[in-house]
Every structure is written in C-alpha cells, then in structure tokens.
Amino acid sequence: MTRPPPPRINSGVQPVVRLQTREPGPAKLHGEHRDPDGRATPETKAREVLKLERARQRTAIRKMNATHEELAVTTQVLLELLSDPAFVALLRAHGFNSIPRILHQRLMERR
C-alpha cells in the first residue's frame, strides 16, 4: 500500500512540520537511498544490479575452477592408466585401438 501524497497548499507556503506515517516494511539496507515516494533511486538500482552480476560471476568462476580441477585429475588418471601395459592390452583386446586426437594432444601436453 502506498502512502498518500502530502496535501497541496495553494498559498505557496510549505508546512514547517510534516508528519510522516511509515508503513511497516522491509528494513533499509545501510546506504540504501530512496526518493520521497519510497522508490529506489537509479543509483540504488544500479548498485543492486552490479551486486547480482558480481555474485553471478563469482559463481561462474567457482564452477570453472571446479571443472578445471576435475579435468586435471581425469587427465592424470588417464596418463597413469595408459602407462600400464596390462591396461593398454585390455583396451586393445576390446577393440579400442586408438583414442581421439584432442584427448591424445591433451595427454601429450601433460607428460
């Protein structure tokens, strides 16, 4: 529910004391600015958008780091397995005579 606008005085004289009734609502955050109608200012809106974008980017970075770590572990495990002659013989016995080029390149970079 919005607050009714203050009464207009046609004489051009502004009232000295204006009583403000504030409806209960969410508490303001420290540094949050609102215009007289109670709406957030453009600066506050921009700050909130930047805060959300920062959180989104932090989440993306966390996910990228986790993926990078998983890829490093997987690469290390594959290198260890492919260095075992018994494992390579087992792969060949089941018809796996080659590996994809991109995987081979990545494994050769890690050696």
Side-chain angles (χ1 to χ4, degrees):
M1 184 182 251
T2 60
R3 182 174 63 195
R8 299 275 182 188
I9 300 175
N10 292 334
S11 66
V13 177
Q14 294 293 324
V16 176
V17 177
R18 186 176 359 165
L19 297 177
Q20 293 181 350
T21 58
R22 184 173 173 191
E23 296 175 6
K28 280 187 173 182
L29 297 174
H30 177 69
E32 182 179 4
H33 300 289
R34 299 206 173 258
D35 66 9
D37 293 333
R39 295 179 301 210
T41 62
E43 292 84 9
T44 304
K45 290 178 183 178
R47 193 174 297 118
E48 185 62 29
V49 167
L50 288 174
K51 220 184 282 187
L52 292 172
E53 179 63 16
R54 184 177 175 196
R56 187 190 68 76
Q57 288 182 4
R58 281 183 176 175
T59 301
I61 289 170
R62 268 195 304 274
K63 288 180 179 180
M64 286 176 7
N65 287 337
T67 301
H68 185 265
E69 290 172 13
E70 290 172 7
L71 183 60
V73 168
T74 304
T75 302
Q76 186 61 37
V77 168
L78 267 175
L79 279 172
E80 289 179 25
L81 287 172
L82 291 175
S83 67
D84 181 8
F87 181 75
V88 174
L90 179 66
L91 287 176
R92 288 193 175 129
H94 286 282
F96 295 101
N97 296 320
S98 64
I99 60 173
R101 183 182 310 138
I102 189 82
L103 181 59
H104 183 268
Q105 288 173 350
R106 179 170 286 279
L107 292 174
M108 291 302 114
E109 288 172 3
R110 292 289 182 166
R111 283 189 172 188

